[in-house]
Amino acid sequence: MTIDIWAFNIFTSGAAPAPEDLTAAACRDAYDGYLELCPRLEEWGLDGVFFAEHHFSTLFIAPSPQLIVASVAARTTRLRLGIMSSVLAMHDGRRFVEECGMLSLLTGGRYEPGIGPGSGDAEAVMSGLPAEHIRPRYYSAADLLRKAMAGPRVTHQDDFYNLVDVPIVPRPQLQRPIWTTVMSAGSAGWAAERGWKMCTGWLPRPVAAQVAEAYRTAARAAGTPSGPEMLALRRRVFIAPSDAEALEAVEAAADLTQLGVKAQGEAADPNVAAMLSHPDDFIVGSPQAVAEQIVEQCREGGFGTFAAWSDYAAFSRADLFRSYELLGTQVAPVVRSAALEQASV
C-alpha cells in the first residue's frame, strides 16, 4: 500500500482574546498566513490539506471552511482539498449538498468533503440546537447527502426536512468517497456501511487500530471498499531538523487545543482532558523520527492516509512553515518508500 500525506489546519488566530478584543487585522493576518502556506504545501509535495470547522471561537476562526477551500483552489493546481469535518447538524443539509456540488466543480474534482457530528455539543447548543437533536440532525443530513449523490432529485422527509422531488443543482459528483470523522467502532461501522471513508484521531494506538478493524469488518459485511485508501489517521505533528529542536519548540509553544476546550468549558470533563493529553496523539521530532512513527502507526491500523496537524500549538509562522516543509520534502518520501516496500513483500 502507499500512504498519502496530508496537512490538517485548524485555522487559528494564535490567541483566545475576548470576542470584543479580536481585531479584523488579527483575523486577516491569520488568513493571509494560511493562504500563503497552502500553495507551499503543494510545492513541498503533500497530497492534500484538510481544514476544520469551528464556531463562536476567537482562537479557531474558520466557521466556513468551504470558503477557504474555494480560495485555496484558486491558488493551487494539484493539492487535494478537504474539510475534516463539516459539523453537519449545524448546516442546512440541502444547502450543504449544493455547496458540495459547486466546490467539486470549482476545484476541478479536488474537493473531498468530510462530515461529523462535531467535537462536542457546545457549539451546536450555542447555535440554538437542543443537545438531543444533534445526532438525529447529523444522520438525517448525511442521508440527504447520500440521496443527492445518487440522483439529481431528492425526496427527504423527516423531523428536520420536508423535501419532495427537489432538484439539487449542481449535483455533487465527487471523485472520491465522503470522509467521516469517527471515534468509536460503532461510528466506523456506520461509515463503512455507506462506503464512506473514515478518519480517526486522539485515540491511543491500540484503540485506533481496533476502530480501523471494526471499519474493515463492517465494510466486508456490507460489500463496500475496505482497503487502506478508505482509512485515515490524524495526529498532532511537529518537525524540526533535530529531535532536540522539535521538543524545545513544542515545550515553548502554548497548547492551543487545551486553550480551545477551556474556552468552551469542556476541559472539566476528565475524559476530554485525558483524550487531549494522550501521548499517542503526538509525533514530535526530526524528519527521520517522525517518518518512523508515521509508518509504524499506519501499518498498525492499515491506514492509507496520514493527516499531520501542526498548528495545534502557538508555533511561530516560520517554525510552522518549516515543519510542513520537512513533512513534505523529507518525511513524505520516506513514508511512501517504506509503504511501497511493505506492499512488495
Side-chain angles (χ1 to χ4, degrees):
M1 71 177 186
T2 58
I3 300 171
D4 288 344
I5 304 294
W6 287 55
F8 173 93
N9 286 322
I10 203 165
F11 254 71
T12 177
S13 66
E20 56 270 22
D21 296 328
L22 179 64
T23 66
C27 290
R28 181 57 187 266
D29 180 65
Y31 293 151
D32 287 347
Y34 282 106
L35 292 177
E36 178 187 351
L37 171 64
C38 289
R40 296 192 184 187
L41 298 177
E42 181 172 88
E43 175 187 335
W44 295 327
L46 296 180
D47 294 290
V49 56
F50 289 117
F51 304 110
E53 175 185 330
H54 283 284
H55 299 267
F56 316 121
S57 171
T58 59
L59 179 60
F60 305 136
I61 54 173
S64 183
Q66 289 87 348
L67 296 179
I68 301 168
V69 168
S71 186
V72 173
R75 293 166 165 82
T76 55
T77 59
R78 178 194 56 80
L79 197 67
R80 290 156 61 188
L81 306 168
I83 296 176
M84 194 65 77
S85 55
S86 291
V87 186
L88 205 50
M90 297 177 68
H91 288 258
D92 179 296
R94 174 203 49 80
R95 182 180 178 89
F96 178 80
V97 298
E98 290 171 338
E99 289 179 350
C100 286
M102 287 187 67
L103 285 173
S104 65
L105 296 171
L106 291 171
T107 62
R110 292 184 287 141
Y111 177 50
E112 300 190 22
I115 61 172
S119 57
D121 292 350
E123 292 181 344
V125 170
M126 286 183 69
S127 76
L129 288 178
E132 63 271 17
H133 285 186
I134 296 172
R135 284 282 174 170
R137 278 184 63 92
Y138 169 58
Y139 292 131
S140 174
D143 192 38
L144 197 166
L145 174 60
R146 180 186 59 79
K147 292 176 181 178
M149 294 175 63
R153 292 178 178 271
V154 166
T155 294
H156 189 70
Q157 295 175 290
D158 59 15
D159 291 339
F160 308 106
Y161 297 96
N162 185 27
L163 306 177
V164 179
D165 200 31
V166 172
I168 301 297
V169 182
R171 180 178 148 218
Q173 301 187 51
L174 305 172
Q175 302 295 316
R176 298 174 180 88
I178 299 289
W179 286 101
T180 61
T181 52
V182 305
M183 293 289 291
S184 67
S187 295
W190 178 85
E193 289 166 1
R194 286 154 180 79
W196 291 350
K197 296 181 178 182
M198 63 148 276
C199 178
T200 195
W202 305 111
L203 301 173
R205 290 169 62 168
V207 180
Q210 291 167 8
V211 169
E213 184 56 33
Y215 178 94
R216 284 187 288 270
T217 299
R220 287 191 289 266
T224 58
S226 61
E229 73 282 358
M230 302 297 290
L231 297 95
L233 178 67
R234 196 277 307 141
R235 293 300 193 196
R236 285 172 278 183
V237 175
F238 184 76
I239 311 168
S242 70
D243 291 341
E245 289 177 82
L247 290 171
E248 182 180 1
V250 168
E251 289 172 359
D255 188 330
L256 301 179
T257 314
Q258 296 281 359
L259 189 60
V261 296
K262 286 178 182 177
Q264 289 189 327
E266 295 179 351
D269 185 332
N271 294 322
V272 172
M275 178 182 72
L276 293 177
S277 60
H278 199 285
D280 283 1
D281 198 56
F282 296 89
I283 302 179
V284 175
S286 66
Q288 179 181 352
V290 169
E292 290 173 355
Q293 278 294 307
I294 292 174
V295 171
E296 189 173 316
Q297 293 200 35
C298 285
R299 285 178 174 171
E300 284 176 355
F303 298 103
T305 297
F306 182 86
W309 175 12
S310 294
D311 64 345
Y312 69 90
F315 300 116
S316 70
R317 189 167 294 177
D319 283 349
L320 179 65
F321 278 41
R322 182 181 65 177
S323 180
Y324 276 131
E325 181 178 9
L326 292 172
L327 177 70
T329 61
Q330 297 190 31
V331 173
V334 173
V335 171
R336 294 178 184 125
S337 174
L340 288 171
E341 289 172 6
Q342 184 200 39
S344 65
V345 173

